[in-house]
């Protein structure tokens, strides 16, 4: 077995609070998708990935826009978590 000390391993990059919020939102959305019917999961995943990809080009300094998108994403998350929601657009 391999044993690694902390200095031997690549340290995880430090993330800002906003970066952590974005990653947490993405993970929460993907978890919520798993509660949907298997038939609908692919379309949910495709749309979520597409929305995140579309905004990857945003500059890290565009904090107002990123915060706005995170708020919008949280609204979408609440919709996806609704047991009656079977589609989002």
């Amino acid at each position: 077995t391999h044993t690694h000390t902390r200095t031997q391993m690549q340290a995880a990059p430090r993330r800002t609070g906003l970066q952590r919020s974005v990653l947490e939102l993405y993970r929460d959305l993907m978890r919520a998708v798993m509660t949907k019917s298997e038939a609908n999961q692919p379309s949910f995943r495709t749309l979520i990935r597409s929305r995140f990809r579309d905004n990857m080009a945003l500059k890290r300094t565009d904090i107002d826009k990123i915060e706005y998108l995170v708020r919008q994403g949280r609204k979408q998350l609440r919709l996806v978590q609704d047991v009656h929601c079977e589609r989002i657009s």
Side-chain angles (χ1 to χ4, degrees):
T1 63
H2 294 298
T3 56
H4 298 284
T5 64
R6 191 133 179 87
T7 56
Q8 290 173 322
M9 294 178 65
Q10 183 78 18
R14 289 186 180 251
R15 301 195 193 287
T16 66
L18 191 53
Q19 287 171 321
R20 285 191 302 271
S21 293
V22 170
L23 289 171
E24 179 182 317
L25 174 61
Y26 184 82
R27 287 185 198 112
D28 289 345
L29 282 161
M30 288 304 183
R31 282 187 197 109
V33 167
M34 290 189 281
T35 67
K36 302 303 170 191
S37 69
E38 282 193 37
N40 290 336
Q41 287 181 19
S43 61
F44 275 94
R45 274 193 212 97
T46 299
L47 181 63
I48 292 165
R49 287 179 183 141
S50 171
R51 292 220 177 126
F52 274 80
R53 241 182 241 118
D54 289 347
N55 292 298
M56 280 178 63
L58 283 174
K59 293 182 180 175
R60 293 172 71 171
T61 56
D62 198 352
I63 293 169
D64 290 339
K65 176 73 174 176
I66 297 167
E67 287 175 341
Y68 169 78
L69 290 167
V70 168
R71 284 193 302 275
Q72 293 302 111
R74 287 187 182 133
K75 288 178 186 177
Q76 286 288 125
L77 174 61
R78 286 192 292 276
L79 288 174
V80 173
Q81 289 172 330
D82 185 318
V83 295
H84 303 293
C85 176
E86 285 300 321
R87 273 188 275 158
I88 56 173
S89 56

